[in-house]
Amino acid sequence: MFVRRVVPMLPDVGRCQVMGVVNVTPDSFSDGGLWLDADDAVQHGLALVEAGADIVDVGGESTRPGAQRVDAATELARVEPVVRALAGRGVVVSVDTMRAEVAERAVDAGARIINDVSGGLADPDILDVAARTGVPYVVMHWRGHSDTMQGDDATRYDDLVPDVVAELRRSIDVALAKGVRPEQVVVDPGIGFSKRGPQNWTVLSHLEAFASLGHPLLLAASRKRFLGELLADEDGALRPPLGRDDATVAITALAATAGAWCVRVHDVAPSVDAVRVAERWRDG
Ligand code: PMM
């Protein structure tokens, strides 16, 4: 267990925050195509808030392994109206993007967090946007785009946890050098990004190493493949994404008990209950 850090420019809900996912994409691995229409996406975001989400994360580009990139105009057209509508309804919105232009327009439209799965490596100009706007900036551990991130090179480590911590520290240092303030930074070890099944469990069992970087911690394990592998049937067939929600709730409980600042999930209500249990447990 470690001290749960808060992000000063966001409401402190007094417990681990729950971030609900709205993927405005045709090809995300568990909900691709469900919320591609802007009105549907907004309704879904509002339903997540109704279910207890503290933050709604809006993304317009899938980062699942093997996904093709979309161009900036397409990403922006997907994300901007949804961010604007949700922010206009008072929702704390985060924008899930690796692009400076999309981040900037989304913050203009009311987004209050930039969630950059590349931690500034895909488009370094995004760090200037984070510095200029002053909004919380999620630095995730990332080694490359979806077409290469699960290859042998991208998943090879000398010593997994120290390597990931060192790479995160480097990304944070670059962000700070560009003018991002330390209190803006949120750290995410990047579950499923350049990590094969067992490597994700090693990361999860060493969360204190990531917390020692001195920033609030975000974890996004919801429905990911390593849970499908854990729950595979006796013939080795992976448990499909929608069958991984109960396991996701277990991760939420453990992450919140450890001291994570936020968990990013698709199915919000049970994770909110799990967080409440975990916080009560921490209080003793
Ligand atoms: N994973 C996905 C998308 N965005 N953001 C952060 N900060 N951390 C993650 O691990 C992360 C993310 C991919 O999952 P999805 O397709 O369910 O959105």
Side-chain angles (χ1 to χ4, degrees), residues 240-277:
L242 293 181
R244 303 171 192 168
D245 278 333
D246 292 346
T248 300
V249 177
I251 300 261
T252 291
L254 293 164
T257 307
W261 165 71
C262 182
V263 289
R264 177 184 179 278
V265 297
H266 300 85
D267 187 15
V268 163
S271 273
V272 173
D273 285 356
V275 162
R276 292 176 66 182
V277 169

Side-chain angles (χ1 to χ4, degrees), residues 19 21-23 25 27-31 57 61-64 96 115-117 138-140 188-193 218-224 264 266:
M19 175 187 276
V21 181
V22 178
N23 284 320
T25 59
D27 56 344
S28 291
F29 74 96
S30 81
D31 56 356
D57 190 43
E61 178 176 43
S62 172
T63 49
R64 74 175 162 76
D96 186 342
N115 175 22
D116 176 4
V117 299
V138 179
V139 176
M140 199 192 81
D188 179 344
I191 300 298
F193 287 81
L218 168 64
L219 277 181
S222 183
R223 296 181 179 168
K224 285 188 175 169
R264 177 184 179 278
H266 300 85

Side-chain angles (χ1 to χ4, degrees), residues 13-167:
V13 298
R15 51 164 174 71
C16 176
Q17 308 234 4
V18 177
M19 175 187 276
V21 181
V22 178
N23 284 320
V24 195
T25 59
D27 56 344
S28 291
F29 74 96
S30 81
D31 56 356
L34 286 179
W35 324 114
L36 192 51
D37 174 81
D39 291 336
D40 292 344
V42 172
Q43 288 313 313
H44 184 51
L46 294 173
L48 294 177
V49 172
E50 189 69 22
D54 304 295
I55 301 165
V56 173
D57 190 43
V58 179
E61 178 176 43
S62 172
T63 49
R64 74 175 162 76
Q68 295 299 311
R69 294 217 68 187
V70 295
D71 57 71
T74 305
E75 188 188 348
L76 199 53
R78 289 176 182 170
V79 157
E80 196 177 11
V82 179
V83 169
R84 190 178 301 285
L86 289 173
R89 301 283 290 267
V91 177
V92 178
V93 177
S94 97
V95 60
D96 186 342
T97 185
M98 295 182 253
R99 285 196 170 98
E101 180 190 355
V102 176
E104 181 145 48
R105 293 277 291 272
V107 173
D108 278 350
R112 291 174 61 186
I113 304 169
I114 299 172
N115 175 22
D116 176 4
V117 299
S118 85
L121 293 174
D123 179 359
D125 291 347
I126 200 168
L127 299 172
D128 298 314
V129 176
R132 201 161 52 241
T133 58
V135 300
Y137 176 64
V138 179
V139 176
M140 199 192 81
H141 177 253
W142 186 87
R143 284 182 156 188
H145 287 288
S146 300
D147 51 344
T148 59
M149 71 183 197
Q150 293 306 92
D152 289 343
D153 285 347
T155 54
R156 189 176 300 121
Y157 297 86
D158 289 335
D159 195 353
L160 178 71
V161 171
D163 287 359
V164 174
V165 168
E167 289 170 33

Side-chain angles (χ1 to χ4, degrees), residues 162-182:
D163 287 359
V164 174
V165 168
E167 289 170 33
L168 279 166
R169 185 174 288 122
R170 209 173 307 141
S171 294
I172 294 166
D173 286 347
V174 172
L176 298 182
K178 284 258 201 167
V180 175
R181 287 176 290 119

